[in-house]
């Protein structure tokens, strides 16, 4: 029989071992009771920013291919009027062209402040080119405009088969002011005519101003072009630079100094005029046809340096036959002019030999010999030729 003390000690040791073995198995915690404190209200979540819609990609405009058959109208070397004093003139220049087809209309128009037309000239070239020299420049007379404001408008139209085009080439507003009196030292002493000058043609003295006049001399030129040849011929015949400049200015306006020029041939090189002159020279165009009939549709009767018509053309034809030269020879036509001045206009010829003012000489030659009252820029051109050929 075991001792009771040892038995009790063994039981205590076993119990301790059992306690230590179960200490790792802790019971699960009971769920906590609901809190009495009310739950905090959660802040509302921020609304996300709207995503911008993508920009629509623009649909490219369809490329329009220009119609290659539509005429394009242009102008080169153009001049236009500027502010001027009363009785002045404007020198209109320019070559109008169409890229294809023919020019069907060229119109120059002057309107006043109210928009009313005061001058208008229309041409129907039916050619690919048109020059304002000898046409609009000769027809428009700015010197007749009273004081005021005006608008110069130049327009053109062209056609190429069924395709048509029109364009405003120039639109310029300008003013015409009263002519100013030049101030200077007052003199009441009449000016004595220069030696060898007919007193009846001398410029009368005036009071209130003294104007120094440029000295022009009857010089010849080395210019071998038509203008230079015409200048030299009439300087030798008239010995007067003012009248020679006047004649040359009128010829430049009438024909561009081209002795073969056919009225209505507005091309730059005047190809038709060259062909027509050859036809007259070789007899394909008879004397009668040269006098009476138009060289072609849209062209006028005028021919040569002064755009002679009718029986005057017949007399030119006869002189060319007598000289054995072309009807379009520049020297033959200058001789023809002197022949007419001597036989038919003797008073004008005497005046031209003594004139001392290019403007008066220009107007007188235009009225009497060319029988026109349309002066255009002729007096301006006469002054230019004086400065070019006669200013010493």
């Amino acid at each position: 029989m075991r001792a009771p003390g040892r038995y009790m000690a063994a039981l205590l040791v076993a119990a301790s071992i059992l306690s230590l073995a179960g200490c790792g198995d802790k019971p699960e915690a009971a769920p906590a009771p609901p809190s009495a404190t009310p739950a905090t209200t959660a802040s509302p979540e921020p609304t996300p920013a709207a995503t911008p819609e993508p920009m629509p990609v623009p649909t490219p405009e369809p490329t329009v291919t220009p119609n290659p058959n539509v005429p394009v109208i242009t102008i080169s070397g153009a001049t236009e009027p500027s502010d001027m004093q009363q009785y002045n003139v404007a020198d209109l220049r320019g070559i109008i062209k169409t890229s294809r087809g023919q020019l069907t209309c060229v119109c120059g128009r002057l309107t006043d402040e109210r928009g009313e037309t005061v001058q208008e000239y229309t041409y129907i070239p039916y050619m690919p080119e048109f020059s304002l020299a000898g046409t609009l420049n000769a027809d428009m007379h700015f010197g007749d405009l009273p004081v005021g404001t005006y608008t110069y408008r130049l327009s053109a139209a062209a056609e190429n088969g069924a395709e048509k085009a029109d364009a405003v080439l120039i639109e310029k507003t300008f003013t015409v002011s009263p002519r100013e009196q030049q101030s200077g030292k007052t003199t009441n002493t009449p000016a004595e005519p220069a030696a060898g000058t007919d007193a009846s043609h001398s410029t009368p003295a005036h009071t209130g101003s003294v104007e120094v006049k440029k000295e022009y001399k009857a010089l010849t030129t080395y210019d071998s072009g038509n203008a230079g040849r015409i200048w030299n011929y009439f300087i030798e015949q008239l010995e007067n630079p003012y009248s020679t400049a006047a004649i040359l200015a009128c010829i430049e306006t009438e024909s561009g100094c081209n002795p073969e020029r056919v009225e209505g041939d507005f091309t730059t090189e005047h190809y038709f005029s060259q062909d027509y002159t050859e036809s007259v020279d070789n007899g394909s165009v008879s004397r009668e046809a040269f006098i009476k009939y138009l060289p072609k549709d849209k062209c006028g009767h005028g021919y040569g340096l002064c755009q002679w018509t009718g029986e005057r053309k017949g007399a030119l034809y006869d002189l060319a036959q007598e000289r054995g030269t072309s009807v379009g020879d520049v020297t033959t036509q200058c001789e023809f002019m002197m022949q007419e001045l001597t036989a038919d206009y003797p008073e004008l010829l005497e005046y031209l030999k003594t004139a001392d003012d290019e403007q008066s000489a220009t107007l007188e030659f235009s009225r009497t010999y060319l029988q026109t009252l349309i002066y255009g820029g002729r007096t301006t051109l006469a002054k230019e030729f004086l400065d070019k050929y006669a200013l010493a």
Side-chain angles (χ1 to χ4, degrees):
M1 187 174 178
R2 297 178 179 176
R6 289 182 179 183
Y7 179 76
M8 289 300 293
L11 289 174
L12 289 174
V13 172
S16 298
I17 294 171
L18 289 173
S19 296
L20 291 172
C23 70
D25 297 329
K26 295 180 179 180
E28 294 181 5
S35 175
T37 304
T40 304
T41 304
S43 299
E45 295 183 3
T47 304
T51 303
E53 295 183 4
M55 294 294 291
V57 178
T59 304
E61 294 289 336
T63 303
V64 178
T65 303
N67 186 341
N69 296 318
V70 175
V72 177
I73 304 170
T74 58
I75 185 170
S76 60
T79 60
E80 55 190 33
S82 57
D83 294 346
M84 64 181 70
Q85 293 184 7
Q86 198 173 13
Y87 312 122
N88 281 8
V89 296
D91 185 25
L92 303 180
R93 287 289 187 270
I95 301 293
I96 302 173
K97 295 182 180 181
T98 177
S99 59
R100 50 191 60 84
Q102 309 290 337
L103 291 167
T104 56
C105 180
V106 173
C107 180
R109 180 182 302 160
L110 285 174
T111 55
D112 60 18
E113 296 173 85
R114 296 171 295 180
E116 296 183 359
T117 300
V118 294
Q119 292 184 38
E120 182 173 4
Y121 297 92
T122 301
Y123 309 85
I124 306 175
Y126 216 73
M127 292 180 176
E129 297 180 6
F130 180 89
S131 173
L132 300 184
T135 54
L136 194 62
N137 186 59
D139 291 338
M140 276 195 163
H141 29 111
F142 290 81
D144 293 342
L145 295 175
V147 172
T149 300
Y150 301 89
T151 298
Y152 165 63
R153 180 185 174 97
L154 177 66
S155 58
E159 67 178 19
N160 179 37
E163 303 296 340
K164 298 181 180 181
D166 56 75
V168 176
L169 303 171
I170 296 175
E171 190 156 11
K172 174 68 180 297
T173 299
F174 64 98
T175 59
V176 176
S177 57
R179 178 173 289 277
E180 297 177 358
Q181 297 295 327
Q182 297 184 6
S183 60
K185 183 179 178 181
T186 302
T187 176
N188 293 313
T189 305
E192 294 183 3
T197 302
D198 186 346
S200 63
H201 289 293
S202 61
T203 303
H206 55 280
T207 61
S209 65
V210 175
E211 183 177 353
V212 178
K213 191 172 182 179
K214 289 182 179 180
E215 183 69 24
Y216 294 98
K217 298 181 180 180
L219 305 173
T220 56
T221 176
Y222 289 105
D223 183 357
S224 60
N226 285 340
R229 295 173 65 186
I230 296 167
W231 173 274
N232 285 342
Y233 179 87
F234 284 103
I235 277 292
E236 292 178 1
Q237 296 294 321
L238 304 176
E239 298 182 344
N240 187 313
Y242 303 101
S243 295
T244 300
I247 292 172
L248 187 52
C250 291
I251 290 175
E252 168 66 22
T253 306
E254 290 286 331
S255 62
C257 293
N258 183 353
E260 298 179 342
R261 179 76 175 271
V262 171
E263 181 183 359
D265 184 356
F266 303 121
T267 60
T268 306
E269 300 297 331
H270 306 121
Y271 296 115
F272 173 75
S273 296
Q274 296 177 32
D275 293 341
Y276 181 73
T277 299
E278 290 179 6
S279 297
V280 175
D281 291 341
N282 64 28
S284 299
V285 175
S286 66
R287 183 184 188 278
E288 181 181 8
F290 181 59
I291 295 172
K292 294 184 178 180
Y293 302 109
L294 298 178
K296 78 168 207 175
D297 188 30
K298 307 296 183 184
C299 286
H301 286 277
Y303 180 82
L305 294 177
C306 295
Q307 296 292 277
W308 293 285
T309 58
E311 289 300 328
R312 296 176 79 175
K313 288 170 67 177
L316 171 62
Y317 181 96
D318 294 339
L319 182 62
Q321 292 290 309
E322 178 184 331
R323 297 281 192 272
T325 62
S326 168
V327 71
D329 177 67
V330 64
T331 301
T332 299
Q333 292 192 12
C334 287
E335 291 178 352
F336 176 67
M337 291 175 65
M338 278 302 300
Q339 179 177 286
E340 284 200 316
L341 286 168
T342 302
D344 303 326
Y345 306 97
E347 294 181 0
L348 173 62
L349 179 58
E350 288 305 310
Y351 168 73
L352 293 175
K353 290 179 178 180
T354 57
D356 61 357
D357 169 37
E358 78 281 358
Q359 293 193 10
S360 299
T362 302
L363 300 181
E364 190 62 33
F365 185 80
S366 293
R367 280 194 297 259
T368 306
Y369 184 80
L370 298 176
Q371 300 174 14
T372 180
L373 297 178
I374 299 173
Y375 307 125
R378 299 181 185 198
T379 54
T380 300
L381 287 174
K383 179 65 166 55
E384 290 178 0
F385 283 126
L386 269 178
D387 289 336
K388 181 177 182 180
Y389 293 135
L391 184 58

